[in-house]
Amino acid sequence: MNKSRYLQTIISLIILFGLFLVAGNYYIYSSQKQLLLTEFRQSQQTLHNLLTQLARESLITENYALIEWYFKRWGEGHPAVIELTLTSSNGFALSQFQRPLRDQESEIITTSSTITLHQEDYLLSLRSSSSEAQAKLLRLVEQMLVVSAIAITLLAVAIWLLFQRLAIRPLLQEITSRQKAEEEIQHQHQFLQSVINGVIDGITVINSDYKIILINTAAKSTLNQGHPKKSEQLYCYEVTHNRNTPCAGEDHPCPLHQVLESGKHTTVIHNHPDANGNNRYFELLASPLLDNQGKVWGIIETSRELTTHIQLQKELEENREHLNHLAHHDPLTGLPNRLLFMDRLEQARLKANRTRQPLALLFIDLDQFKQINDSDGHNIGDQVLQVTARLLQQCIRADDTIARLGGDEFTIIIDSYLAIKDVSAVAEKILLLLNQPLQIAERQYHVTPSIGISLYPQDANNSEDLIKNADAAMFRVKDRGRNSFQFYTEDLTQKVIARMNLERGIRRALQQRHFVVWYQPQYEIVSRTIIGMEALVRWNEPGEGMISPAEFIPLCEESNLILDLGEYILNEVMAQ
């Protein structure tokens, strides 16, 4: 810093000396010019006075030839004279000498006087050029330039010697020191680069403008193939994501942005697809990079590829899910097994307690399935079980659960129902589907189900008793001829069967037109006259006689058969 100021002082002194020298030369030049011009004017005035006196004497003697000869000889002998004339008052030139103007004529000085003789005026005019004075000035300027050049040269030599001693040598020493320092910095940089290149994890130094300052070999290997693998003039979001704006959003959070905001370490996960579009996942650990004032001006980002780890985790998760599926599902039909069924049943029972909604358990056993296994082999038996499982799945809702407990035993959990008829409707649908022949290996097989039903909390207050009661109801069906369903409670079974028979009878009566219309007159009390009649439906069942509307009307209203019955009665009345 002191050497720099000293150098500035020397340069300032040289400039001041030069300005002083220029000002002094200009002053001398101006003074000499004015002095020479003054002397020139005085000399010309003196000559003019002599010529005037000569012209007066010549006019007195009227010797015009003499004055003309003298003007010419005198003008030719004085190179500075441009014009010398003697003119009468009427404009007639008595004597005249003229020399052509030259390009280098700079300043013209004119001197004139009037001669009065015999009441007549004569004008004597002398015009001369200051070329001699200019020539002297030029010689003066040349002398001044020589002196100035010598002075400046001597001053420059003195200053150069002084500058050489006081500035150049220290500057060379400083340059040498700086070169050594830069070489040392370069060596340290190369050493640092060698150190971080030896790290297997990617390391990148990024400033607050997203520009890459330093990067190691491991990080370069992850750069986007569309960019050169060097850090100059590269931005992190260009080389990793091939985009023109910094990373943002939940999918690609920007670690630099997070560190600049919080000033703390942060960790994010990024997906950097390779040139083939394959996903490559990296864990980015960003640490704040501080300046001398403790302000964050960038980050040190360490990246570690997690692609293999994530793939292994995914495979382990898939294997875990597969093992979990195998542990909780029947490998033959894909239905929940006994373990998962017990869990689902317990969850359904807890939900029923919470919502105060009943649930039903159906225990299904295939009739004479053992004969298929014994006669046609277990392969056909397995296919029968698979087809049966698909048919059973068509009979339940999405919220219900169907499971295979083993062999030819299936269970169905009906998660909440509104009325017993909803449960019996499911059982009837199962009977209808499974009574149809099964087409397997170009042969037809007939499989019928025996279904036992228990209700919660009506028939049991825990899962084990609920299963036991449904199983008991199923064996009751087996004892009574199979291919049917039975509720655990006998009277409930009878009611359901009676309801089913009544509903079938109503449908049959509509088809066979066993419903008849009775008419009841409507009287007006005041006039005691018939004003209309009311049509009443009655069911006249052959072999049983008249059935009361109180028995079949409520069932028709619950099962929507009331619409068919209403249409039937309307058509009968209109026809009659």
Side-chain angles (χ1 to χ4, degrees), residues 38-84:
T38 302
E39 291 178 353
F40 182 77
R41 287 191 179 95
Q42 292 176 353
S43 175
Q44 181 165 329
Q45 186 64 40
T46 302
L47 291 174
H48 184 271
N49 293 336
L50 292 175
L51 291 172
T52 301
Q53 183 64 29
L54 178 62
R56 179 183 296 275
E57 294 177 355
S58 298
L59 288 173
I60 293 173
T61 59
E62 295 182 354
N63 190 355
Y64 303 111
L66 176 62
I67 193 170
E68 184 176 358
W69 172 83
Y70 185 78
F71 275 17
K72 182 178 180 181
R73 291 290 304 273
W74 189 85
E76 291 176 352
H78 293 79
V81 175
I82 297 174
E83 182 181 25
L84 178 62

Side-chain angles (χ1 to χ4, degrees), residues 189 193 204-205 211-216 220 223 228-235 239:
H189 180 79
Q193 188 69 47
T204 308
V205 179
K211 184 179 178 182
I212 295 178
I213 304 300
L214 189 65
I215 188 170
N216 71 343
K220 285 182 179 180
L223 296 183
K229 293 187 176 180
K230 59 181 182 179
S231 61
E232 289 78 13
Q233 302 300 321
L234 292 182
Y235 294 88
V239 299

Side-chain angles (χ1 to χ4, degrees), residues 8 32 68 93 120 252 309 313 401:
Q8 292 177 1
Q32 290 297 320
E68 184 176 358
E120 188 174 356
H252 291 87
H309 178 69
Q313 279 189 330
T401 299

